[in-house]
Amino acid sequence: MRVSKLFGKTQREVPAEADTISHQLLLRAGMIHQVAAGVYSYLPLAWRALKKIENIIRDEMDKAGGQELMMPALQPLELWQKTGRDLAFGKSLFTFPDRRERKLALGPTHEEVMAKMASSNVQSYRDLPLLAYHIQTKFRDEPRPRGGLLRVREFTMKDLYSLDVDEEGLDQSYNKMLQAYQNIYVRCGLPALLVEADSGAIGGKDSHEFMVITESGEDEIIYCPDCKYAANADKAQSIKSKIESGELFPIEEVKTPGMASIEQVSGFLKVPQSHTLKAVFYIADGKLIFVVIRGDIEVNEVKLKNVLRCLELRLATEAEIVAAGIVAGSASPVGITGIKIIADDSITSGANFVAGANKPDTHLRNVNYPRDFKLDLVADIALARAGEGCPNCRGKLSSAHGIEVGHIFKLGTFISERLGASFIDPNGASHPIVMGSYGIGLGRLLAAVIEYSHDDKGIIWPLPIAPYHIYLCPLYLENPQVTAKAEKLYADLEAQGLEVLYDDRKESPGVKFNDADLRGIPIRVTISPRTLETNSAEIKKRSEKESELVPLEGIAVRLKELTSAA
Ligand SMILES: [Zn+2]
């Protein structure tokens, strides 16, 4: 490909709207173009990289026994209503009526369509296990599209579904996919960490994410450097610091004028925050919920949502709290009725906490559970934090930011039961098919590679997914000898099947080198009047500083060697 003809211009300036490195570099390298919020076109270089990622994924799915097929993006909303996941996805699901006023959805995922298809194509246990996948466009109306290709509303995803007769079969399918995913990341040059994850709106029990650790990652990962424990912060558990128990003292009221927050109350009464009880109010599916948690610990809203089994959860406003007759700033579980109270298990150890008094400017000392108040539910609803104990080995937890580049789920029978996807066992009895679901967003993976592999000059593509392998960079094209040798080399390398981006523009060496580095092509081949003095060209890898001078005769062989790893 000649750079003079290439669709997609490089730009020097960092675009103001780009907040992550991958977004900046993709725009500056002329690889993507924003059409609407979270909706992008891929220009030829990015599209070539994406196709390579797609081929690696397809290859690994096929090797694992997957069968490729194609399901439609357009789905009847009725399928989603049958599983109730239209509500779980909420506004993220694009829905609209067709001309006959039938409701349709643009698929954010395909468990329903797959189960429906299985209901008429799987009859017997002999038809199982089955691994079926497609690589197709998905739609999710993200509330906050961001980071270029990292969080978008339309994207290409590979989603595979495993269908098995029982849990044991599901475990085997799951492990096959786990291995296939690991192979994919290795081939894309991406170190991906396997972490425990929340199942979210997809549903199901076991679930893992593959994470790439980068500063720009919007997910927080809690991990243990001493053992292999790693989990998304949404899901992570920890051993919370224990508060000493002791003799329970009688409750006493104290005046706390103007003190409402935990920081204020703990400072004013000179007790550590860990010896206070914090009241947090949520609206869960329209109902006010009272959450009690130790003052030094934060609520994990994902855990709380799972415990409540609700679809929508948000913090209550002060007006909503006051309307329920509660004294904001001094709310207390002691003596309150008519509201559901949920506590984190952190409050069940320790003694003599400071809590609100349900009276303005007043708090209570020596509040103890269960002596002084009742709870509707006690569960782990705390946000695990670095520094706390590892639930596995009791070591000290650390935290890091990461980008999710894959998510796999053990779904079970939830969806197959609702869509009539069943099979007959050897004894003639019918059972629901046990399903698993395995997704990778291709554009997200591409962006994650750039987040992980770049320098201050631009992208550094790993060879297997680089748009082109070789950047042929002749300098001083006004010199006819340079032009002649470069044109000949370009024709030779193309004829040998090498992937060459040929910078045939009459630009300065600085401009050409900058563009080559920005676009991140793994191998740069420079021809100049100086290299031609020894009838040679300079070969330089994008990832290395040193270059080598190689005679033009035989250079194709050398380049074939260098690119054969792809
Ligand atoms: Zn550990």
Side-chain angles (χ1 to χ4, degrees), residues 224 226-227 229 390 392-393 395:
C224 173
D226 298 333
C227 70
Y229 182 75
C390 168
N392 224 11
C393 76

mmCIF file of all heavy atoms in Angstrom, residues 224 226-227 229 390 392-393 395, ligand 1:
data_model
loop_
_atom_site.group_PDB
_atom_site.id
_atom_site.type_symbol
_atom_site.label_atom_id
_atom_site.label_comp_id
_atom_site.label_asym_id
_atom_site.label_seq_id
_atom_site.Cartn_x
_atom_site.Cartn_y
_atom_site.Cartn_z
ATOM 1 N N CYS A 224 -4.079 -10.336 45.093
ATOM 2 C CA CYS A 224 -3.159 -10.686 46.166
ATOM 3 C C CYS A 224 -1.808 -11.032 45.555
ATOM 4 O O CYS A 224 -1.733 -11.949 44.754
ATOM 5 C CB CYS A 224 -3.704 -11.877 46.943
ATOM 6 S SG CYS A 224 -2.538 -12.488 48.161
ATOM 7 N N ASP A 226 0.541 -12.463 46.945
ATOM 8 C CA ASP A 226 1.085 -13.698 47.537
ATOM 9 C C ASP A 226 0.474 -14.972 46.969
ATOM 10 O O ASP A 226 1.098 -16.015 46.959
ATOM 11 C CB ASP A 226 0.862 -13.696 49.053
ATOM 12 C CG ASP A 226 1.584 -12.530 49.719
ATOM 13 O OD1 ASP A 226 2.599 -12.085 49.141
ATOM 14 O OD2 ASP A 226 1.133 -12.064 50.772
ATOM 15 N N CYS A 227 -0.794 -14.904 46.544
ATOM 16 C CA CYS A 227 -1.407 -16.095 45.965
ATOM 17 C C CYS A 227 -2.043 -15.646 44.647
ATOM 18 O O CYS A 227 -1.776 -14.564 44.169
ATOM 19 C CB CYS A 227 -2.443 -16.704 46.910
ATOM 20 S SG CYS A 227 -3.943 -15.738 47.114
ATOM 21 N N TYR A 229 -5.168 -14.988 43.977
ATOM 22 C CA TYR A 229 -6.476 -14.341 44.081
ATOM 23 C C TYR A 229 -6.502 -13.012 43.330
ATOM 24 O O TYR A 229 -5.626 -12.160 43.515
ATOM 25 C CB TYR A 229 -6.851 -14.116 45.550
ATOM 26 C CG TYR A 229 -8.211 -13.485 45.703
ATOM 27 C CD1 TYR A 229 -9.355 -14.240 45.495
ATOM 28 C CD2 TYR A 229 -8.360 -12.140 46.017
ATOM 29 C CE1 TYR A 229 -10.615 -13.669 45.595
ATOM 30 C CE2 TYR A 229 -9.610 -11.556 46.119
ATOM 31 C CZ TYR A 229 -10.739 -12.326 45.905
ATOM 32 O OH TYR A 229 -11.976 -11.753 45.993
ATOM 33 N N CYS A 390 -6.297 -10.872 52.265
ATOM 34 C CA CYS A 390 -6.699 -11.735 51.152
ATOM 35 C C CYS A 390 -7.622 -12.830 51.667
ATOM 36 O O CYS A 390 -7.303 -13.483 52.648
ATOM 37 C CB CYS A 390 -5.458 -12.349 50.514
ATOM 38 S SG CYS A 390 -5.828 -13.687 49.371
ATOM 39 N N ASN A 392 -8.129 -15.604 50.510
ATOM 40 C CA ASN A 392 -7.551 -16.899 50.174
ATOM 41 C C ASN A 392 -6.434 -17.284 51.137
ATOM 42 O O ASN A 392 -6.408 -18.383 51.665
ATOM 43 C CB ASN A 392 -6.964 -16.776 48.774
ATOM 44 C CG ASN A 392 -7.283 -17.952 47.915
ATOM 45 O OD1 ASN A 392 -8.106 -18.777 48.293
ATOM 46 N ND2 ASN A 392 -6.630 -18.029 46.783
ATOM 47 N N CYS A 393 -5.474 -16.359 51.314
ATOM 48 C CA CYS A 393 -4.242 -16.705 52.053
ATOM 49 C C CYS A 393 -3.963 -15.725 53.184
ATOM 50 O O CYS A 393 -2.950 -15.826 53.846
ATOM 51 C CB CYS A 393 -3.056 -16.744 51.088
ATOM 52 S SG CYS A 393 -2.473 -15.108 50.603
ATOM 53 N N GLY A 395 -2.904 -12.865 53.039
ATOM 54 C CA GLY A 395 -1.869 -11.882 52.677
ATOM 55 C C GLY A 395 -2.507 -10.512 52.502
ATOM 56 O O GLY A 395 -3.711 -10.338 52.694
HETATM 57 ZN ZN ZN B 1 -3.699 -14.344 48.799
#
